[in-house]
């Protein structure tokens, strides 16, 4: 199982949360490197299943591998509700209550008119079930919060740890199921970009 965030988006560049932005030039470059990585590392005799969210930045990241990935709404980024499109600094200054409540309990906090990590975990059930049934290599191109939740499940980490799991941009996390869980390897692919942690 390969897990990766989409390539850097316009929103990532400006530290904005959510939205449906396109890839930045660096993000497009990552899409090429990712395709190369898959070509080099996929077993010759097996087709790689490519799953994305319904958002443009994940579909664009898959384009160099396939024009028709399987798109899942369940893989869409955590819904930031009224904060969608804002930067973290804007949230902190313009919505101090939201900022304080989320900082106090990032796992359970639900954005007004949006979601919490707990909500994301719930909606990921069908994806996880299908992922466990997969017999061929599967590349999941999704978003920071969603990948944190999938990673925590597969690596048997407590769900409450999700919000602090490191899932950097332009990195492929390779998880190989074994008898006792999953073996993990991480591959940082170029281009290196400053990860502002937002806009998953
Ligand atoms: O808003 C999108 C981010 O990917 C979620 O990150 O839970 O650390 O704010 P955060």
């Amino acid at each position: 199982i390969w897990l990766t965030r989409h390539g850097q988006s316009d929103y990532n560049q400006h530290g904005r949360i959510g939205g449906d932005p396109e890839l930045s030039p660096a993000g497009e470059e990552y899409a090429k490197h990712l395709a190369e990585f898959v070509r080099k590392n996929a077993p010759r005799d097996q087709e790689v299943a490519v799953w994305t969210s319904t958002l443009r930045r994940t579909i664009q990241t898959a384009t160099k591998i396939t024009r028709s990935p399987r798109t899942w709404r369940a893989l869409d980024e955590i819904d930031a509700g009224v904060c969608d499109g804002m930067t973290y600094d804007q949230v902190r200054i313009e919505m101090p209550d939201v900022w304080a409540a989320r900082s106090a309990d990032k796992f359970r906090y639900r954005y007004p008119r949006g979601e919490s990590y707990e909500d994301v975990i719930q909606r990921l059930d069908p994806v996880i079930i299908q992922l466990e049934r997969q017999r061929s290599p599967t590349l999941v191109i999704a978003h920071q919060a969603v990948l944190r939740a999938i990673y925590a499940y597969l690596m048997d980490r407590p769900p409450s740890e999700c919000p602090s799991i490191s899932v950097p941009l332009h990195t492929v996390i390779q998880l190989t199921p074994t008898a006792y869980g999953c073996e993990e390897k991480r591959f940082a692919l170029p281009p290196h970009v400053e990860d502002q942690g937002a806009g998953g």
Side-chain angles (χ1 to χ4, degrees):
I1 298 168
W2 287 315
L3 306 178
T4 181
R5 286 167 70 183
H6 51 82
Q8 185 195 53
S9 70
D10 293 344
Y11 271 34
N12 290 138
Q13 268 184 311
H14 300 106
R16 294 171 70 186
I17 308 167
D20 189 13
E22 309 224 25
L23 293 184
S24 69
E28 281 173 23
E29 193 67 13
Y30 176 67
K32 287 187 204 150
H33 288 293
L34 178 63
E36 235 171 77
F37 173 89
V38 170
R39 256 195 305 277
K40 279 194 190 139
N41 293 284
R44 292 247 164 87
D45 53 339
Q46 284 178 320
E47 197 165 324
V48 176
V50 181
W51 296 359
T52 68
S53 72
T54 65
L55 298 167
R56 291 191 290 191
R57 54 199 187 272
T58 62
I59 297 170
Q60 287 174 1
T61 304
T63 328
K64 301 280 184 295
I65 307 166
T66 174
R67 292 258 163 212
S68 49
R70 175 165 182 186
T71 57
W72 297 76
R73 193 165 291 281
L75 285 176
D76 284 359
E77 182 52 307
I78 189 169
D79 182 349
V82 297
C83 297
D84 191 77
M86 295 172 79
T87 64
Y88 287 123
D89 274 349
Q90 281 175 320
V91 177
R92 187 169 48 80
I93 292 159
E94 295 167 28
M95 299 186 178
D97 296 350
V98 168
W99 182 262
R102 190 164 196 257
S103 307
D105 188 354
K106 196 172 167 188
F107 180 65
R108 283 197 190 78
Y109 180 77
R110 178 180 288 147
Y111 280 109
R113 284 192 247 138
E115 292 179 303
S116 65
Y117 271 87
E118 268 185 326
D119 297 328
V120 169
I121 288 173
Q122 294 246 328
R123 70 157 143 98
L124 277 171
D125 264 0
V127 176
I128 300 270
I129 291 168
Q130 190 60 44
L131 199 51
E132 289 188 319
R133 285 192 189 139
Q134 289 294 106
R135 289 291 163 260
S136 58
T138 304
L139 169 67
V140 182
I141 305 174
H143 307 266
Q144 183 166 231
V146 162
L147 291 172
R148 283 171 167 163
I150 296 176
Y151 176 91
Y153 176 84
L154 295 172
M155 295 303 285
D156 210 14
R157 300 267 286 270
S160 57
E161 276 186 19
C162 279
S164 56
I165 292 172
S166 167
V167 182
L169 280 171
H170 299 186
T171 302
V172 178
I173 302 175
Q174 174 175 289
L175 300 179
T176 309
T178 67
Y180 307 101
C182 279
E183 204 172 85
E184 171 177 355
K185 272 192 190 157
R186 291 187 175 221
F187 303 87
L189 306 184
H192 175 74
V193 290
E194 204 51 50
D195 192 349
Q196 311 225 31

